[in-house]
């Protein structure tokens, strides 16, 4: 399964969720859904905006974890 | 990229606003149609009851005989023209029985179908979401009612004709077939909406 590591990258950048939500242009509720993994897909446009705001690569945000 | 997303969001908001406006208008029309159909049903039922009561009071042994034998009631106003009202007001004879047997259920089912469509439109106008399980269920119910509105009266009319006394004069008014076609088309549309529900869920879970 694919796991989003947004909370880890946010902690590394010492950035708050509210700030990132404003930079990306999505609501805090939706950002929280991304952080908690309560979504089934991410648009390239959203990923692009997050990577630009956090100055990171998609690989820093996404991680593949084999199913048990 | 962000500008394109904002533009898509604006388009979507615009479409949702137009959808709500249209649904609100249709809901008002549906409510009026339901009220008119319900009024027609109630007035015909009252007229039938009045005729049957009069016939029973003058010696008819049961309901069927009351409908069959009743003379036109002088207390009722003159019928507008032919059809169900004429059967009720000028009734008597087996033609009145078969007309009522097919007309009243069709009217009742029509009221139920109008009510179903009206409630569905009200839901969509309120939520702005046409692709939901509730709408799919409503569409299916209305399609079944449309088929029933054609089949049930034809069956009842046939039953009434079998029960007709020898020599009774009546005309068999069978289904026209259009409500069945409309019901089948609506059932197909409900399948399309089912697919729309799946796409809506996917869209809701995509950010």
């Amino acid at each position: 399964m694919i796991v989003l590591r947004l909370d880890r990258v946010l902690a590394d950048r010492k950035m708050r969720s509210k700030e990132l939500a404003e930079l990306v242009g999505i609501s805090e509720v939706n950002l929280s859904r991304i952080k908690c993994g309560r979504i089934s897909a991410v648009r390239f446009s959203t990923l692009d905006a997050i990577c630009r705001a956090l100055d990171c690569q998609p690989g820093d945000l996404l991680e593949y974890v084999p199913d048990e | 990229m962000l500008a394109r997303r904002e533009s898509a969001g604006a388009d979507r908001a615009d479409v949702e606003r137009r959808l709500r406006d249209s649904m609100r208008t249709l809901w008002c029309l549906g409510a009026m149609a339901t009220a008119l159909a319900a009024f027609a049903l109630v007035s015909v039922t009252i007229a039938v009851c009045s005729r049957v009561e009069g016939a029973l009071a003058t010696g008819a042994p049961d309901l069927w005989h009351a409908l069959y034998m009743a003379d036109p009631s002088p207390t009722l106003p003159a019928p507008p023209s032919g059809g169900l009202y004429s059967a009720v007001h000028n009734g008597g004879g087996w033609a009145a029985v078969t007309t009522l047997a097919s007309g009243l259920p069709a009217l009742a089912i029509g009221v139920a179908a109008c009510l179903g469509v009206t409630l569905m439109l009200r839901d969509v106008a309120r939520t702005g979401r046409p692709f939901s399980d509730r709408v799919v269920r409503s569409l299916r119910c209305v399609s079944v009612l449309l088929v029933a509105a054609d089949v049930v009266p034809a069956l009842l009319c046939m039953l009434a004709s079998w029960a007709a006394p020898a020599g009774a004069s009546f005309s068999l008014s069978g289904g026209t077939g259009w409500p069945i076609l409309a019901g089948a088309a609506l059932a197909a549309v409900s399948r399309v909406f089912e697919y729309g529900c799946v796409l809506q869920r996917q869209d809701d879970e995509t950010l």
Side-chain angles (χ1 to χ4, degrees):
Chain A
M1 63 186 285
I2 301 294
V3 180
L4 277 157
R5 298 297 185 197
L6 185 60
D7 48 351
R8 203 167 61 187
V9 181
L10 270 174
D12 286 348
R13 304 289 191 279
K14 294 185 174 51
M15 190 185 278
R16 289 168 59 196
S17 297
K18 189 179 177 185
E19 198 181 335
L20 179 64
E22 280 169 9
L23 284 170
V24 174
I26 59 175
S27 67
E28 274 190 85
V29 176
N30 282 339
L31 191 69
S32 167
R33 284 173 63 199
I34 295 177
K35 277 169 68 180
C36 300
R38 277 183 287 136
I39 53 166
S40 60
V42 183
R43 289 192 182 90
F44 278 170
S45 55
T46 310
L47 200 56
D48 179 86
I50 293 173
C51 287
R52 188 183 303 123
L54 294 173
D55 189 24
C56 66
Q57 292 297 314
D60 299 331
L61 297 170
L62 302 170
E63 189 176 323
Y64 171 67
V65 178
D67 292 323
E68 286 177 10
Chain B
M1 194 74 78
L2 203 60
R4 200 170 66 189
R5 189 165 50 186
E6 276 169 7
S7 156
D11 285 349
R12 188 173 172 150
D14 197 37
V15 168
E16 272 184 8
R17 185 183 53 75
R18 275 182 289 168
L19 176 78
R20 278 169 191 260
D21 288 348
S22 304
M23 290 299 130
R24 222 168 280 141
T25 310
L26 284 172
W27 173 57
C28 290
L29 289 174
M32 279 194 282
T34 308
L36 282 174
F39 177 73
L41 181 66
V42 169
S43 38
V44 169
T45 308
I46 289 172
V48 169
C49 290
S50 160
R51 275 193 61 80
V52 168
E53 195 183 354
L56 288 174
T58 52
D62 56 34
L63 180 73
W64 289 111
H65 281 83
L67 278 170
Y68 181 66
M69 293 164 63
D71 293 326
S73 167
T75 58
L76 291 171
S81 63
L84 203 55
Y85 282 96
S86 184
V88 175
H89 291 281
N90 294 336
W94 210 254
V97 177
T98 51
T99 308
L100 283 177
S102 62
L104 269 184
L107 202 51
I109 294 170
V111 171
C114 278
L115 192 65
V117 171
T118 306
L119 291 177
M120 184 191 75
L121 293 171
R122 191 192 62 177
D123 272 357
V124 177
R126 272 185 187 168
T127 60
R129 294 169 72 92
F131 298 111
S132 67
D133 292 337
R134 216 180 144 96
V135 170
V136 171
R137 268 199 304 275
S138 297
L139 283 174
R140 263 194 224 138
C141 283
V142 173
S143 68
V144 169
L145 283 173
L146 280 175
V147 173
D150 208 35
V151 172
V152 171
L155 285 176
L156 287 174
C157 195
M158 206 179 287
L159 283 176
S161 71
W162 282 339
S169 137
F170 59 88
S171 61
L172 268 179
S173 55
T176 57
W178 286 108
I180 293 182
L181 278 179
L186 209 57
V189 170
S190 79
R191 291 285 179 209
V192 175
F193 269 69
E194 254 181 68
Y195 184 60
C197 287
V198 173
L199 294 182
Q200 181 71 62
R201 268 194 291 275
Q202 282 180 6
D203 185 61
D204 290 344
E205 290 176 5
T206 302
L207 281 172

